[in-house]
Amino acid sequence: MKNKILCYIYENMADFEISLLLHRLRNAGRRDITFLSEEISPVRAQSGMTFLPETKISDIQDISSYEALIIPGGPINNEQNAICETACQMISSGRLVAAICFAPQILGRAGILDHYQYTTSCSPEKIKQLGVSDPCPRQNYIMARCVTDRNLITAQGYAFVDFALCVCDYLHIFENETQRYEQLLRIKE
């Protein structure tokens, strides 16, 4: 069983959207989390906290030891494409890709959303307001808190607890419903 997770971190990401998930994956799920980015340099999140990636995206040559890729939301950035190839490799090899809030924009640019149902906080109205091209194919969009389609999980930004549950369920982190409830809500180990 693979016990390693990739987590893409980038400037101005919405770190709160993945904090609960990462905590549960690391503690209840005993998963090793590898934080990756375009460069090994500090990344400042929306909360003001600074994160230091461990690995450059370009250094990930073999995804076979990773079971999932987690992508937090952040600002619309049509130039943010370095993670697209890794996301495509993960999806095509049957590994989980999980993206929340505006993060599905990356999957849209990678072509993944052409073949999967998804949700996102990135509305057509927001795209128009920002004056950027829409990276999301709207024919597969579903208005829901969280959507699981095969090995892709997407969620609205406000549904970060649902997102954590869906990812943990997909990766079989909890042995039963009681543990699922207790472990998700437990703050300390």
Side-chain angles (χ1 to χ4, degrees):
M1 179 181 192
K2 297 166 188 62
N3 289 319
K4 292 166 63 175
I5 308 281
L6 290 171
C7 183
Y8 176 49
I9 59 175
Y10 56 95
E11 197 65 29
N12 212 20
M13 67 176 181
D15 49 324
F16 78 93
E17 295 171 345
I18 59 168
S19 295
L20 175 62
L21 170 60
L22 295 177
H23 178 70
R24 291 295 84 211
L25 289 174
R26 187 164 184 264
N27 293 294
R30 307 286 183 240
R31 300 308 201 268
D32 290 326
I33 314 282
T34 300
F35 295 95
L36 74 159
S37 194
E38 288 79 3
E39 299 296 328
I40 305 292
S41 58
V43 171
R44 191 168 188 85
Q46 289 180 9
S47 68
M49 293 192 336
T50 301
F51 294 82
L52 185 61
E54 304 159 72
T55 303
K56 290 180 11 179
I57 295 167
S58 60
D59 291 340
I60 302 291
Q61 301 300 317
D62 180 14
I63 60 158
S64 64
S65 61
Y66 298 99
E67 63 181 321
L69 168 63
I70 309 297
I71 308 174
I76 297 292
N77 179 353
N78 287 329
E79 304 301 314
Q80 184 180 29
N81 297 314
I83 194 66
C84 290
E85 183 180 339
T86 303
C88 286
Q89 290 174 354
M90 295 292 285
I91 276 288
S92 65
S93 66
R95 287 166 176 75
L96 176 65
V97 173
I100 187 167
C101 196
F102 279 22
Q105 67 172 306
I106 295 165
L107 307 179
R109 288 193 299 275
I112 293 169
L113 299 183
D114 292 336
H115 310 285
Y116 286 82
Q117 292 183 332
Y118 71 96
T119 194
T120 179
S121 298
C122 183
S123 68
E125 295 78 26
K126 183 67 171 176
I127 292 292
K128 187 175 182 180
Q129 177 187 22
L130 294 171
V132 297
S133 62
D134 192 346
C136 300
R138 297 298 167 169
Q139 71 274 12
N140 293 331
Y141 172 80
I142 296 175
M143 180 56 195
R145 293 175 64 85
C146 195
V147 173
T148 301
D149 184 358
R150 294 164 284 164
N151 57 325
L152 177 67
I153 297 173
T154 54
Q156 298 280 328
Y158 63 82
F160 57 90
V161 174
D162 306 56
F163 184 65
L165 277 172
C166 286
V167 172
C168 287
D169 287 346
Y170 185 94
L171 296 173
H172 307 291
I173 299 300
F174 308 117
E175 293 178 20
N176 55 51
E177 193 64 30
T178 301
Q179 185 192 43
R180 178 182 189 252
Y181 177 77
E182 290 173 353
Q183 289 293 315
L184 187 68
L185 297 179
R186 185 177 296 156
I187 302 301
K188 294 171 108 177
E189 286 292 315

